[in-house]
Amino acid sequence: MSLPLKQQPAWKALEEHYQKVRALHLRTLFAEDPTRGERFTLEAAGIYFDYSKNRLTTETLHLLQQLAEVVGLRQRIDAMFRGEKINSTERRAVLHIALRAPKDQVIIVDGENVVPEVHAVLDKMSIFADRVRSGEWKGFSGKRIRNVVNIGIGGSDLGPSMAYDALKHYSDRAITFRFVSNVDGTDFVEATRDLDPEETLCIVSSKTFTTLETLTNARSARDWCVRALGSEEAVARHFVAVSTNEQEVAKFGIDTTNMFGFWDWVGGRYSYDSAIGLSLMIAIGPERFREMLAGFHEMDEHFRTAPFERNLPVLLGLIGVWYNNFFGAETVAILPYDQYLERLCAYLQQLDMESNGKHVDLEGRVVDYQTGPIIWGQPGTNGQHAFFQLIHQGTKLIPSDFIGFNKSLNPLGRHHDLLMASFFAQTEALAFGKTEEEVIADGVADFQVPHRTFEGNHPTNTILADQLTPEVLGKLVALYEHKVFVQGTIWNINSFDQWGVELGKVLANRIIPELESTQEAILQHDSSTNALIRRYRQARRQE
Ligand code: F6P
């Protein structure tokens, strides 16, 4: 980008335009254009996107698209798909799109086509998943595998666990799946409490295979397994690894023939459609897994080829920038109206916040504008009875994404109609509210009128798909991956590194020996940290 973002004429035009639009009410926008609810929509890759209940006009969209053009979004999309090393601080390509590329596609990294390798790993995963699912893969004592425990954290946990929950409907119910991530021993103990080690397969998932939490849990799992089965040899039948680091996998004691690889051009939070999704593949089977990849790919192709004004991830991203940088909104609520998507928000938190939680631009300059928003939320209708009050009547502007499906996977009496009635009602209420006159006309007592008046004008996106299938999940995740990319490009930041999580890790490594030492350690932290550590050590000595 030639000029800094805020000096771009397109940015300045948006600032000016904001002054004209900021006070506009959605009630007015809808009244002035009776076709708005159909015009401001887009259907792509089988997903219906209604962005009409946003505080914007045709001109806003035009200016936002202009901004996308001048910051070089098109070129950046092409660079990503070509396998250029756009993760500049780590000098890596960013190619999660290659994980779902069809066999005949060619994507070159360092002179080599990576697509055949991707398919070789997928084939290896498929064979293994089928062996576990059919009972052919036996535990050390000859029993079939009835439990699968994925051990990983961050991208090596959130993706597979979110997707397992999302696609539980399609999973093999004869196998129990657990996900252990936290270094808090409670996580491992509770996850394995009712499992028989003889029937349990542990998948140690870690891109680096050096992550403290994962290796600590993996060691405890190995002890648990060896203790029960009475032999170190059991490890080969009960442990497989997913990693890019063959050396560390071997060092841990897992036979590397039972390792499923991936590559440094797959970011952790972009990895669940790589071998990191092995537990998911065992759950839903290789065929369904490939349907999910096809869904990802369809959205990738839409993103790569559609003009910006008809491009779902581009529009979603630009609308987010509009609120984040011009209205000053700090957060985005993710509200899936589907119980299977219970973990979607946790997954998107890492995807978005680890990607775009950056304060310097690609040239290393501190930015003078806001970058990534805070992502939060939970499924409807539960959220309605918890935090929706603040969205409706609080003092903060909270743009929200409502995600719903036409058909339920569990049709049960009136449930789905009731769920979807709330889904539609909430975006309607948020947009249009209830005026003082309407409240008075309802005969509400005077003293209650201000309390029962809804200002409205709260923006929402509605994302509607037919049914939650593996394919649709792939499309949804790809949609958000690319939305994050669009915003990172506008903000001129690197969405693919995560240096911010390093300092905490380094400091924890310094403190570990101080907590474990039997000698009185000389503490050289600040006075608060010193006092806390001393207090903790004292309490531990009294145990
Ligand atoms: O929290 C930092 C992080 O590096 C994430 O980006 C990543 O998903 C997670 O740790 C786990 O890393 P690994 O897969 O290497 O164990």
Side-chain angles (χ1 to χ4, degrees):
M1 194 180 353
S2 43
L3 281 173
L5 185 59
K6 285 178 78 175
Q7 287 169 33
Q8 293 283 352
W11 184 277
K12 289 187 185 293
L14 277 160
E15 275 176 340
E16 268 172 44
H17 173 72
Y18 167 71
Q19 295 306 331
K20 284 192 258 160
V21 173
R22 55 190 286 233
L24 272 183
H25 200 290
L26 284 166
R27 279 196 285 262
T28 317
L29 290 171
F30 272 84
E32 281 174 356
D33 175 6
T35 63
R36 184 179 172 92
E38 275 147 40
R39 270 197 328 116
F40 285 68
T41 64
L42 169 63
E43 190 154 11
I47 290 183
Y48 183 74
F49 179 49
D50 176 349
Y51 53 97
S52 62
K53 295 191 184 88
N54 278 296
R55 293 166 67 173
L56 45 77
T57 63
T58 311
E59 194 189 346
T60 320
L61 290 171
H62 176 70
L63 292 173
L64 285 166
Q65 282 151 26
Q66 239 173 28
L67 180 68
E69 300 283 357
V70 298
V71 301
L73 178 60
R74 171 62 58 208
Q75 293 83 329
R76 192 117 173 122
I77 294 173
D78 292 344
M80 174 170 77
F81 277 81
R82 269 200 308 269
E84 281 179 29
K85 299 198 172 173
I86 60 168
N87 174 357
S88 51
T89 59
E90 296 179 317
R91 298 208 170 90
R92 288 176 182 164
V94 173
L95 273 179
H96 39 281
I97 54 106
L99 298 171
R100 49 265 191 161
K103 259 193 178 122
D104 55 356
Q105 203 172 317
V106 176
I107 303 172
I108 306 286
V109 179
D110 293 330
E112 254 186 67
N113 180 11
V114 297
V115 179
E117 295 177 57
V118 167
H119 281 271
V121 174
L122 273 174
D123 291 344
K124 183 174 170 181
M125 287 165 67
S126 304
I127 293 168
F128 180 73
D130 277 338
R131 290 183 72 194
V132 174
R133 285 163 65 85
S134 67
E136 187 199 323
W137 179 279
K138 300 263 186 306
F140 185 63
S141 60
K143 288 191 180 171
R144 69 179 288 173
I145 296 299
R146 295 192 190 281
N147 317 303
V148 171
V149 180
N150 185 76
I151 300 172
I153 196 164
S156 302
D157 165 73
L158 286 164
S161 67
M162 176 281 289
Y164 168 70
D165 276 359
L167 301 178
K168 205 176 213 162
H169 177 80
Y170 305 91
S171 71
D172 182 344
R173 306 293 178 136
I175 306 177
T176 298
F177 290 84
R178 299 274 161 82
F179 295 83
V180 175
S181 55
N182 200 334
V183 75
D184 180 348
T186 299
D187 203 6
F188 178 78
V189 169
E190 287 296 340
T192 53
R193 181 177 293 281
D194 56 345
L195 304 186
D196 178 354
E198 289 185 59
E199 298 179 340
T200 302
L201 173 75
C202 294
I203 303 177
V204 185
S205 298
S206 173
K207 180 176 171 181
T208 55
F209 228 78
T210 55
T211 305
L212 174 83
E213 291 90 336
T214 301
L215 289 187
T216 307
N217 279 319
R219 283 188 203 105
S220 297
R222 190 174 55 189
D223 293 348
W224 175 74
C225 166
V226 170
R227 215 179 310 123
L229 288 153
S231 167
E232 282 285 339
E233 281 168 47
V235 173
R237 305 301 303 166
H238 292 269
F239 281 77
V240 298
V242 179
S243 186
T244 57
N245 192 341
E246 199 168 328
Q247 234 180 342
E248 287 298 321
V249 169
K251 217 158 97 186
F252 181 85
I254 295 178
D255 184 347
T256 50
T257 50
N258 296 332
M259 168 179 160
F260 300 84
F262 61 116
W263 307 271
D264 72 356
W265 40 261
V266 183
R269 52 193 174 274
Y270 296 87
S271 70
Y272 97 75
D273 49 338
S274 70
I276 290 290
L278 182 61
S279 53
L280 175 68
M281 190 192 265
I282 296 172
I284 64 172
E287 211 170 303
R288 299 266 193 214
F289 194 89
R290 283 174 201 261
E291 284 168 21
M292 183 186 76
L293 295 183
F296 270 101
H297 181 65
E298 200 178 331
M299 185 57 75
D300 293 343
E301 282 303 285
H302 164 72
F303 178 53
R304 189 177 67 81
T305 58
F308 288 170
E309 68 275 14
R310 307 294 303 156
N311 193 313
L312 227 163
V314 171
L315 284 176
L316 190 62
L318 291 178
I319 291 169
V321 168
W322 178 231
Y323 294 120
N324 189 68
N325 295 96
F326 297 93
F327 279 83
E330 299 240 308
T331 80
V332 173
I334 303 287
L335 309 167
Y337 274 61
D338 191 302
Q339 196 54 34
Y340 284 126
L341 293 182
E342 201 178 0
R343 302 272 294 155
L344 181 68
C345 183
Y347 171 76
L348 292 183
Q349 280 178 327
Q350 188 201 10
L351 179 69
D352 207 317
M353 293 164 82
E354 200 167 75
S355 295
N356 285 345
K358 308 291 160 65
H359 77 296
V360 293
D361 67 12
L362 288 172
E363 286 77 37
R365 298 172 299 211
V366 174
V367 297
D368 57 355
Y369 44 84
Q370 289 291 310
T371 60
I374 299 158
I375 303 293
W376 63 286
Q378 55 166 284
T381 56
N382 292 359
Q384 286 175 211
H385 299 273
F387 52 77
F388 269 48
Q389 166 65 32
L390 188 142
I391 308 182
H392 279 289
Q393 287 190 313
T395 52
K396 295 177 174 58
L397 178 71
I398 303 177
S400 311
D401 289 356
F402 280 71
I403 303 168
F405 301 93
N406 294 329
K407 296 179 198 138
S408 170
L409 289 165
N410 294 296
L412 178 66
R414 302 168 65 211
H415 283 251
H416 197 62
D417 285 342
L418 300 185
L419 174 74
M420 292 308 282
S422 284
F423 179 78
F424 299 125
Q426 287 299 325
T427 62
E428 188 180 16
L430 285 164
F432 304 106
K434 191 162 185 180
T435 62
E436 199 178 81
E437 296 77 58
E438 287 167 333
V439 176
I440 293 168
D442 279 352
V444 167
D446 280 358
F447 77 96
Q448 279 189 343
V449 170
H451 302 276
R452 297 181 64 171
T453 299
F454 287 70
E455 184 204 344
N457 218 14
H458 298 293
T460 57
N461 290 312
T462 298
I463 295 169
L464 189 62
D466 201 42
Q467 195 162 40
L468 182 53
T469 60
E471 203 182 328
V472 166
L473 182 71
K475 290 175 188 179
L476 275 176
V477 172
L479 165 63
Y480 278 96
E481 285 177 347
H482 298 322
K483 172 230 136 172
V484 166
F485 179 84
V486 168
Q487 297 188 334
T489 301
I490 302 279
W491 296 323
N492 194 33
I493 55 179
N494 184 357
S495 304
F496 303 104
D497 59 12
Q498 57 285 317
W499 302 105
V501 292
E502 289 306 314
L503 180 61
K505 290 186 196 171
V506 171
L507 294 185
N509 279 326
R510 204 174 124 197
I511 294 175
I512 293 166
E514 294 171 350
L515 299 188
E516 291 181 339
S517 159
T518 48
Q519 317 283 313
E520 202 50 60
I522 300 162
L523 301 173
Q524 286 178 324
H525 305 272
D526 59 277
S527 58
S528 158
T529 311
N530 284 345
L532 288 165
I533 292 173
R534 271 198 295 272
R535 201 178 168 83
Y536 174 81
R537 281 178 52 97
Q538 209 172 359
R540 290 297 306 268
R541 273 201 298 269
Q542 285 160 7
E543 264 175 25

